[in-house]
Amino acid sequence: MPELPEVEVLTRHLKPRLIGRRIDSVKILRDGLIEERSPRSFSARLRTRQIVDVRRRAKLLRLDLDDGSHWLVHQKMTGRLAWHRQRPDPSPHLLALFGLDRGVLSFTDLRRFGRMWWLPPGEVQSHFERLGPEPLDGEWTVDRFHDDLARRTIAIKQALLDPRLVAGIGNIYASESLHRARIHPARPAASLTRAEASRLRRAVRAVLKRAIALGSTVLPTGDDVRPVYYHGGDSEPLVADEFRVYDREHLPCPACGTPIERLRQGQRSTYFCPACQEGS
DNA sequence: CGCCGTACCTGGAGGC
DNA sequence: TGCCTCCAGGTACGGC
């Protein structure tokens, strides 16, 4: 599941279903899913452990186990960690199954970029060391953001995607945040004034919070190539309906009606409104 | 340290 | 129908 909001919503969804559960069985169906150790030893570390907490850091899911060790899951682009009451129907993209004392966890991943780690007690912090501040935490201050930007010659859009600067922002919410802040994505990061950095920080936080409040998530089937963003409820609209610029090339800007344009930056697409986001 | 390109994968869309 | 190229949410790594 892609970006910070979707991982946050998943974390909140899984938390009540997983806390207190015991892992009875582990089945790893594909080499390469487990980092730094064999699937066999990974399975042995998890089996019979109880899950005591479920949290998120950047786009990583962190499950704390009752012996003080940690189970990390990164879904990357098409990975889906999903809870089921009963064993799910077979999927060609199923990579792992975890039998619990109540329910089943599955991990499917069409592109197989997703990864899992088991970390012994105390090692989880070193795993997070290279990550910058959480954008929704107080530690991500305007001063810190503005100072960090001042040292970078890359475009502001690409700076937003650098997890050392601020963690958890991906390609979609980077475009959305810049539009909301009315800042052109190609502006050199160091050229932003303090006022602009402040505006952008507020926009990032508002965009992420809004997506979380809507219950943004993607279908856990693993069969969709394109992400399918949903609100929480049954008949709720797609979160994608609220995107103001992302994947909307040639469509009118919701703010001013000017056609949205697409830009290539570092092999990724950026969407923006040339009228609202002036001045590269 | 910063920046850039590439690699990891599969499959859908669209052009011819 | 088939074949080809491009594109898709993320991050790590090597080279400069």
Side-chain angles (χ1 to χ4, degrees):
Chain A
M1 231 168 263
E3 309 187 24
L4 183 153
E6 290 73 39
V7 183
E8 177 65 24
V9 169
L10 177 68
T11 301
R12 294 180 187 183
H13 168 82
L14 290 179
K15 205 166 178 162
R17 289 165 176 80
L18 296 186
I19 287 183
R21 299 280 62 76
R22 193 184 59 239
I23 302 165
D24 286 336
S25 64
V26 178
K27 200 175 290 177
I28 306 297
L29 300 162
R30 195 110 205 176
D31 281 348
L33 174 63
I34 310 303
E35 287 281 328
E36 294 166 13
R37 60 202 334 111
S38 70
R40 191 186 179 77
S41 102
F42 174 83
S43 303
R45 297 297 188 174
L46 263 61
R47 207 175 300 126
T48 74
R49 296 271 64 80
Q50 199 176 31
I51 299 167
V52 298
D53 203 1
V54 181
R55 308 194 227 178
R56 176 193 62 74
R57 172 76 167 102
K59 298 164 191 162
L60 280 160
L61 270 151
R62 160 183 170 179
L63 295 92
D64 294 333
L65 307 179
D66 61 349
D67 62 352
S69 68
H70 311 277
W71 171 18
L72 299 187
V73 180
H74 201 308
Q75 307 182 108
K76 293 285 177 80
M77 302 222 261
T78 52
R80 306 282 186 270
L81 188 68
W83 184 86
H84 317 262
R85 215 171 284 283
Q86 292 164 1
R87 178 183 279 254
D89 292 336
S91 155
H93 309 300
L94 183 68
L95 302 191
L97 267 184
F98 304 86
L100 309 175
D101 57 357
R102 193 189 316 140
V104 179
L105 266 180
S106 71
F107 188 80
T108 53
D109 192 350
L110 185 149
R111 287 173 74 182
R112 305 208 298 264
F113 287 178
R115 291 292 181 269
M116 292 184 185
W117 296 257
W118 176 83
L119 301 175
E123 263 187 39
V124 74
Q125 287 316 323
S126 65
H127 203 89
F128 292 155
E129 252 165 24
R130 44 199 326 169
L131 289 174
E134 285 287 323
L136 299 179
D137 280 2
E139 55 171 347
W140 192 45
T141 60
V142 185
D143 286 334
R144 176 170 183 172
F145 185 38
H146 189 224
D147 287 352
D148 286 344
L149 291 179
R151 277 177 260 117
R152 310 300 296 268
T153 60
I154 51 172
I156 184 61
K157 156 68 173 4
Q158 293 180 270
L160 284 179
L161 295 179
D162 185 342
R164 292 168 304 175
L165 233 122
V166 53
I169 301 171
N171 205 41
I172 294 176
Y173 295 115
S175 281
E176 293 296 314
S177 300
L178 285 162
H179 178 263
R180 188 177 176 111
R182 304 188 313 280
I183 292 169
H184 195 288
R187 288 269 305 277
S191 78
L192 267 66
T193 63
R194 192 176 185 286
E196 286 172 325
S198 171
R199 216 161 71 218
L200 182 54
R201 173 178 164 278
R202 277 177 198 279
V204 164
R205 291 163 62 95
V207 162
L208 297 179
K209 281 183 187 172
R210 173 72 181 153
I212 292 169
L214 287 171
S216 179
T217 186
V218 296
L219 290 180
T221 66
D223 293 328
D224 44 290
V225 173
R226 303 271 300 157
V228 184
Y229 290 79
Y230 274 90
H231 293 186
D234 286 341
S235 55
E236 297 294 315
L238 295 172
V239 167
D241 293 346
E242 290 220 353
F243 294 162
R244 294 179 147 250
V245 289
Y246 182 78
D247 204 19
R248 289 177 51 85
E249 189 180 14
H250 305 317
L251 294 173
C253 167
C256 75
T258 305
I260 299 301
E261 290 181 12
R262 186 166 75 108
L263 199 63
R264 296 293 292 177
Q265 292 180 292
Q267 346 281 71
R268 318 287 309 273
S269 287
T270 302
Y271 299 87
F272 71 104
C273 169
C276 294
Q277 300 165 260
E278 281 182 81
S280 58

